[in-house]
Amino acid sequence: MSVPRSRRAVLAGTLALAGATLAAGDAPVGREPWPGAKVLRGERYVVIGHRIHSGLLADLAARAERARRKVAAVWGPVRPVILFPETDAGAEILAGAGASDGLAAMATADRVIVVPSGYARLSRIGRDVVIAHELTHVATGATRGGRVPTWLSEGFADYVGYSGSGLDVRTVAAELVREVRAGTLPDGLPGPADFAPGAARLPQVYEEAWLACRYIAGRFGERALVRLYGGPPPGGAGTPSRGGDVEAVLGLSPAAFTAGWRDYLRRELG
Ligand SMILES: [Zn+2]
């Protein structure tokens, strides 16, 4: 099943703002931010909508449960709280973030916030990927900032987001495929500035990060990827220890890790 071309751009934008949201801190919102909000409460999730059609809210609840299972399978238990405001401006207020242009969802420390216009433009698979991506940020504490390199937090969120999607690697990484087939391989893993909103190669940078995590899971196992991230903590609560040390966890120097990842890109995308 293919994904509409526009989805990647929206997804990339989503990820970028999630990073910006970190700096903005936690949004001071209550559990039910609107009078008369519709609340769908599952055994392990809460979905809250403001003037959202019942069918659309029920659809989001099903996605919340699927995303919860994906995150639990890779990382550990999480209880999604997902807010679906009526307008993009409402989403910005809830997230404590400045601009939601081109985004489909955002994450704060403890909840996922849908951005209505961007979310509406996503395919069904795209919606599942985005919700699971943002929920991964919540579960890992990524929105509290800086504990692991950006390539690892964004790549890991996409790793969980795309798990079980059935999408081919070349479909997900279409922009990077074009570059690699034209003979251009990235020199090194992307840094924080490469993920800034509006950065030139945003889709490719997310694909590079995703493929770095996929490479680690494929070669060393998924548990090694989770260990590299530093978590989850015992009992699944609290903040995990600092992660991102490839030498300690994978037994590879940073240079050897980068070389292995570049070989992997060549093999998978070339
Ligand atoms: Zn992200």
Side-chain angles (χ1 to χ4, degrees):
M1 198 168 170
S2 72
V3 178
R5 201 63 266 134
S6 62
R7 191 201 56 74
R8 227 324 166 171
V10 173
L11 183 53
T14 300
L15 315 187
L17 188 61
T21 307
L22 312 190
D26 304 350
V29 293
R31 208 158 177 80
E32 294 180 15
W34 311 286
K38 265 183 223 157
V39 181
L40 297 184
R41 209 177 287 275
E43 198 178 326
R44 294 195 176 94
Y45 66 81
V46 179
V47 171
I48 305 171
H50 186 223
R51 296 187 185 149
I52 300 301
H53 187 273
S54 302
L56 195 54
L57 204 60
D59 179 76
L60 178 63
R63 294 181 199 287
E65 174 59 16
R66 279 203 290 280
R68 185 194 69 74
R69 288 178 191 214
K70 278 189 190 183
V71 175
V74 178
W75 177 263
V78 63
R79 288 179 173 267
V81 176
I82 305 185
L83 308 185
F84 199 156
E86 183 183 22
T87 63
D88 292 2
E92 290 168 7
I93 290 167
L94 289 169
S100 61
D101 292 354
L103 311 179
M106 298 184 271
T108 68
D110 61 358
R111 62 199 63 201
V112 174
I113 296 151
V114 171
V115 178
S117 68
Y119 185 77
R121 289 198 298 272
L122 294 184
S123 67
R124 289 172 175 279
I125 289 181
R127 289 177 187 185
D128 276 339
V129 170
V130 164
I131 297 296
H133 177 106
E134 299 302 336
L135 186 61
T136 304
H137 282 328
V138 173
T140 57
T143 57
R144 294 192 285 275
R147 196 172 51 78
V148 299
T150 309
W151 69 261
L152 184 53
S153 61
E154 294 306 334
F156 186 69
D158 263 3
Y159 176 83
V160 176
Y162 283 112
S163 65
S165 69
L167 291 174
D168 180 79
V169 60
R170 290 181 176 83
T171 302
V172 173
E175 291 85 357
L176 198 57
V177 165
R178 277 199 290 280
E179 289 188 359
V180 171
R181 287 186 179 164
T184 306
L185 266 185
D187 291 332
L189 290 156
D194 296 313
F195 291 91
R201 295 177 64 254
L202 214 44
Q204 290 91 333
V205 163
Y206 277 99
E207 290 156 14
E208 289 168 9
W210 172 61
L211 286 163
C213 290
R214 202 170 176 274
Y215 163 62
I216 294 164
R219 177 170 169 188
F220 301 93
E222 194 171 271
R223 298 331 293 168
L225 174 60
V226 172
R227 276 203 309 282
L228 180 64
Y229 206 111
T239 304
S241 59
R242 178 163 289 275
D245 187 341
V246 292
E247 199 132 29
V249 176
L250 308 179
L252 291 180
S253 69
F257 173 66
T258 300
W261 165 70
R262 295 181 82 230
D263 283 344
Y264 179 79
L265 294 182
R266 211 178 279 122
R267 279 201 311 277
E268 291 288 311
L269 309 183

